[in-house]
Amino acid sequence: MSNAFIRAMAQQDYRELPPFNVGDTVRIFQRIKEGNKERTQKFEGIVIQKRGDGLNKTFTVRKIGANGIGVEKIYPYHLPAIEKVEVVKKGKVRRAKLYYIRKIVGVVKIKEKRQKSQ
Amino acid sequence: MSGLLGKKIGMTRIYKGNESVPVTVIQAGPCFVCQKKVKAIDGYDAIQIGFEEKKERSTIKPMKGHFKKANVRPMRYLREIRVDNPDDYQLGQELNLGLFELGQKVDVIGITKGRGTTGVMKRWNFSGGEASHGSKFHREAGSTGQHTYPGRTFPGKKMAGRYGNERVTVHNLEIVRIDVENNLIALRGAVPGAPGGLIMLRKAVRVNLKKAK
């Protein structure tokens, strides 16, 4: 739910990530604390959904992990622990949610968006 | 002990590192002292505070006089708050979120959403029966008592009926964020009632003294 008062209260928490869309391949750098140590975890995969608005906005990244097991992570868009997001590839897709790729066995092929030549 | 009146705005979340903190945003105050109740006359010590201005023409004459006495604009909501010494306050004095500070615990009093007639499972958390496997006992209450002796159902037996629309106090909610200028406050956790509902805030009364030290 978004509302002028709620937005006023939470304005300072809003973050600006590089623009990416569903179908893009992204690399997420997240700070993770283990005991006293802090390290950066990298996670690279395809964005399969974006949902919510305001501080409740989240996106899901899917990759094929070890032994061919699919791994999905749901990231809150405004999470301060996200150090940075790199867009590796721009994908060309015709769905807002790519749930169908969960059923695909093997390599998921997503057409790459052609860059506008300048 | 002093308090404030406010309105529930809604819920959102605030992030702390990797942690997501659920918060309720409340618009609280400014409130004005409209009347003082003193022990000698009223039998108890309290202040009456008003919240949210309303139009002069939608105020009835006797109330106009009441507000005029305290020299404040007509208010939509009036509530009393017990205080130790009413003389600490002046008539017409403004109270705002400056009463509270970040990290402090507060109590929230509100009216829960009315749910109308509900069954025992929703109202009293009865476990009900099986949904399938040939069961004919689904969401009923079961037995309501014994047999010939006592031969009646005891008063107070939990049964179906009206649920919600009752005054509820939620204790010890932490202040996660406070904005005195804009009269906004964010508390960790949920607060009774729907967005827009009237809410009373006060300093927490059930404080763990051992922890506080």
Side-chain angles (χ1 to χ4, degrees):
Chain A
M1 204 190 98
S2 208
N3 166 302
F5 288 117
I6 292 180
R7 256 180 276 141
M9 198 85 226
Q11 198 88 60
Q12 62 205 80
D13 295 328
Y14 278 42
R15 297 195 60 194
E16 197 69 45
L17 297 181
F20 60 84
N21 262 314
V22 172
D24 294 354
T25 304
V26 292
R27 197 180 290 143
I28 316 284
F29 296 78
Q30 184 185 8
R31 274 194 304 276
I32 286 184
K33 233 182 185 174
E34 284 165 336
N36 293 326
K37 271 200 217 158
E38 215 184 48
R39 67 186 178 87
T40 306
Q41 186 188 60
K42 274 166 266 179
F43 191 84
E44 185 177 327
I46 300 164
V47 180
I48 64 165
Q49 73 154 347
K50 292 209 295 192
R51 63 164 286 278
D53 80 325
L55 282 176
N56 292 326
K57 196 153 129 183
T58 62
F59 60 95
T60 305
V61 181
R62 180 184 171 89
K63 74 166 183 183
I64 304 299
N67 293 331
I69 296 164
V71 181
E72 284 180 16
K73 275 196 143 196
I74 302 171
Y75 287 99
Y77 185 91
H78 297 285
L79 190 75
I82 295 177
E83 240 165 50
K84 61 173 173 174
V85 175
E86 278 174 7
V87 182
V88 182
K89 255 190 278 179
K90 284 264 177 201
K92 190 176 173 187
V93 290
R94 305 177 73 164
R95 303 271 179 283
K97 317 274 180 203
L98 304 184
Y99 298 142
Y100 70 88
I101 70 166
R102 289 170 176 165
K103 287 181 188 159
I104 296 174
V105 180
V107 186
V108 177
K109 278 181 197 162
I110 287 177
K111 275 187 198 163
E112 222 173 305
K113 220 178 213 170
R114 261 195 274 158
Q115 301 290 322
K116 268 182 197 162
S117 49
Q118 279 152 351
Chain B
M1 182 193 64
S2 192
L4 270 187
L5 296 175
K7 256 183 180 182
K8 176 169 170 176
I9 301 291
M11 292 194 73
T12 184
R13 52 173 145 189
I14 284 170
Y15 297 107
K16 282 184 176 169
N18 269 322
E19 191 196 3
S20 165
V21 181
V23 295
T24 309
V25 180
I26 294 165
Q27 186 194 14
C31 297
F32 297 91
V33 179
C34 294
Q35 196 186 357
K36 290 200 274 192
K37 302 261 182 174
V38 285
K39 200 152 197 183
I41 304 164
D42 307 288
Y44 59 96
D45 289 327
I47 52 169
Q48 185 193 61
I49 59 174
F51 170 64
E52 201 174 76
E53 246 176 57
K54 66 172 180 177
K55 281 178 190 150
E56 191 90 27
R57 72 179 150 91
S58 56
T59 313
I60 58 169
K61 254 188 181 172
M63 288 313 287
K64 273 184 193 168
H66 180 70
F67 290 117
K68 208 176 170 190
K69 233 190 243 174
N71 203 16
V72 295
R73 312 259 317 194
M75 296 284 156
R76 180 153 286 123
Y77 303 106
L78 289 173
R79 294 290 183 274
E80 278 182 20
I81 291 176
R82 290 284 186 112
V83 290
D84 295 333
N85 187 7
D87 290 330
D88 292 345
Y89 302 87
Q90 285 97 47
L91 277 181
Q93 186 188 342
E94 185 182 329
L95 302 172
N96 62 19
L97 280 172
L99 290 171
F100 305 116
E101 52 192 79
L102 200 70
Q104 204 180 27
K105 297 275 171 73
V106 292
D107 295 341
V108 174
I109 301 161
I111 307 275
T112 58
K113 280 183 187 172
R115 270 155 252 252
T117 309
T118 54
V120 287
M121 281 180 71
K122 194 185 184 79
R123 193 177 181 207
W124 300 109
N125 296 325
F126 282 19
S127 44
E130 269 182 296
S132 63
H133 291 299
S135 167
K136 291 173 181 172
F137 177 69
H138 303 303
R139 299 183 61 93
E140 288 97 306
S143 166
T144 56
Q146 296 76 23
H147 199 233
T148 322
Y149 179 80
R152 62 192 173 99
T153 298
F154 289 117
K157 173 73 198 152
K158 289 171 182 173
M159 289 185 181
R162 281 206 185 169
Y163 177 47
N165 196 21
E166 59 187 348
R167 180 185 155 112
V168 166
T169 307
V170 182
H171 290 279
N172 292 331
L173 295 179
E174 187 194 334
I175 300 177
V176 181
R177 196 160 281 179
I178 188 162
D179 182 353
V180 179
E181 238 166 74
N182 295 315
N183 301 312
L184 289 174
I185 187 170
L187 303 174
R188 183 183 192 125
V191 151
L198 183 71
I199 269 185
M200 200 166 110
L201 293 170
R202 68 164 187 224
K203 277 174 193 162
V205 289
R206 284 189 198 161
V207 186
N208 188 334
L209 289 173
K210 269 184 204 164
K211 258 189 190 171
K213 272 175 193 168

